[in-house]
Each structure stands twice: as structure tokens, then as C-alpha cells.
Amino acid sequence: MPKIPLLAAILLTLCSNAASAASYGDTSPIYVGGGAGRMQFGAHCGAGADCKGQDNASAKVFAGFNFAPFSAWQGSELTSSVELVGYRSGTLRLARERGAASLRGAGLSYRISSRETDALSVHARAGLTRLSGKFGGASSGSTGITGGLGLAYALDKHLSLTADYDALRAGFGALARTHVHLLTFGAAYKF
């Protein structure tokens, strides 16, 4: 077995990890967080009718890994990351004849953040989400796209307050075009 390519690969990995760690100061690139808020649901139910509902008890949890920050233009600091996200709604009251709905799901997103000041950053995300739902007692699931925008305000080097808007799109059987909008306020912790 050639020892030199193996040794070179190990040294390259160690040096790139050291460079990445140096760019984060004394924090890890791993972060977790969550938020609570309001979800709105809309779908075309057929016969010209729309099913719409909203709740005040939805939640989102996430865990992510930041890649090393980079600069796209002078003075900018952009950070890209990969996030695992979990969603859960409260009971969404639909039209009287349609009953109620509830949603839950998980997804994988690519996120890019721009640090605007020492404490404030804005971010955008896009990815895929698997949503499962109960609509009037019947269960259904679908994979769709997701996108979102958000703000984070750092309280210190580990803890930040977050505000996020997520738009999820999927199809559930007869509800072929389902749009879900989620607004959450929460916190994130960088290890």
C-alpha cells in the first residue's frame, strides 16, 4: 500500500480542518436551534374551492453544519451550510366541510448567510422536504420543495435569536398543490 499518498491525504485533511476551525475562532461549525410560530396551509380542494387553514402552535427544529466562511466581494462574509430541519404543525382548521389537518415533516436544505454587522446576519435556504399530513382523518405524504428567508441576531459567540419564514410546497392526494407558510421565532446555539 502506498504510504506517501495516504500520508498526504491525512495531512491535507488535518490542515484543512485546522484552517476551517481557525476561521470559526473558538466555536464549532455545528449548530442547532428551534422556533415556534404560526403555520398557514392552502390547497386547491377541487370544484373551485380552496382549503385554507392556520394555527398558532407550529414548531421547527434544525441542526446544521457551517462550511468555512468566504468573501464574494470586498467586505462581505458569506457562510454556506447544510441543515436538517423538522417541522410540526398544530391543528389547522379547514373549511367546515373539510374538517381539520395536521402536518409534520423533515427536510434537507442548503443555507447561505451574509453577516451584515457583528451581531446581525441574514440567510436564505432552499431544499427538499418530506411532509406527512392528516386531513379529515385520512393520512397522506409527499416530497416537495422548500425555501425560506431569515434573520439571526447574535447575543454572544454561541447563542443567537432567530426569525424565519419557510415556504413548503407538496401534494397530498386530492390536494395536489399544497402550499404551507411557516413563520417562527426562536433561538440557535453554535457549539
Side-chain angles (χ1 to χ4, degrees):
M1 181 171 170
K3 291 183 181 180
I4 294 191
L6 179 62
L7 182 59
I10 291 171
L11 287 174
L12 183 61
T13 301
L14 290 174
C15 290
S16 66
N17 285 342
S20 178
S23 68
Y24 288 107
D26 57 353
T27 62
S28 166
I30 298 170
Y31 61 94
V32 297
R38 180 180 205 153
M39 183 178 281
Q40 292 184 332
F41 168 89
H44 183 70
C45 297
D50 285 335
C51 289
K52 294 184 179 187
Q54 65 184 12
D55 76 345
N56 291 319
S58 292
K60 173 175 96 168
V61 294
F62 54 88
F65 181 86
N66 285 324
F67 299 106
F70 61 96
S71 180
W73 57 88
Q74 186 173 0
S76 71
E77 182 177 306
L78 301 174
T79 303
S80 62
S81 59
V82 174
E83 272 185 357
L84 291 172
V85 184
Y87 303 98
R88 181 159 188 188
S89 76
T91 301
L92 299 157
R93 300 281 176 213
L94 303 176
R96 226 178 280 192
E97 64 277 359
R98 298 287 181 186
S102 63
L103 298 170
R104 63 189 177 284
L108 179 66
S109 295
Y110 173 79
R111 184 180 93 156
I112 189 154
S113 300
S114 173
R115 191 164 80 177
E116 301 300 316
T117 68
D118 285 341
L120 182 66
S121 64
V122 296
H123 54 265
R125 73 173 56 79
L128 293 173
T129 298
R130 174 75 180 167
L131 289 176
S132 299
K134 288 186 179 181
F135 303 94
S139 295
S140 184
S142 176
T143 301
I145 60 172
T146 182
L149 300 171
L151 297 168
Y153 185 82
L155 300 175
D156 61 26
K157 64 184 176 182
H158 296 285
L159 186 63
S160 61
L161 300 177
T162 62
D164 286 310
Y165 166 76
D166 293 290
L168 303 102
R169 189 172 189 180
F172 295 100
L175 305 177
R177 291 186 191 168
T178 303
H179 301 277
V180 178
H181 302 276
L182 177 62
L183 179 64
T184 56
F185 297 96
Y189 184 83
K190 186 189 278 189
F191 292 97

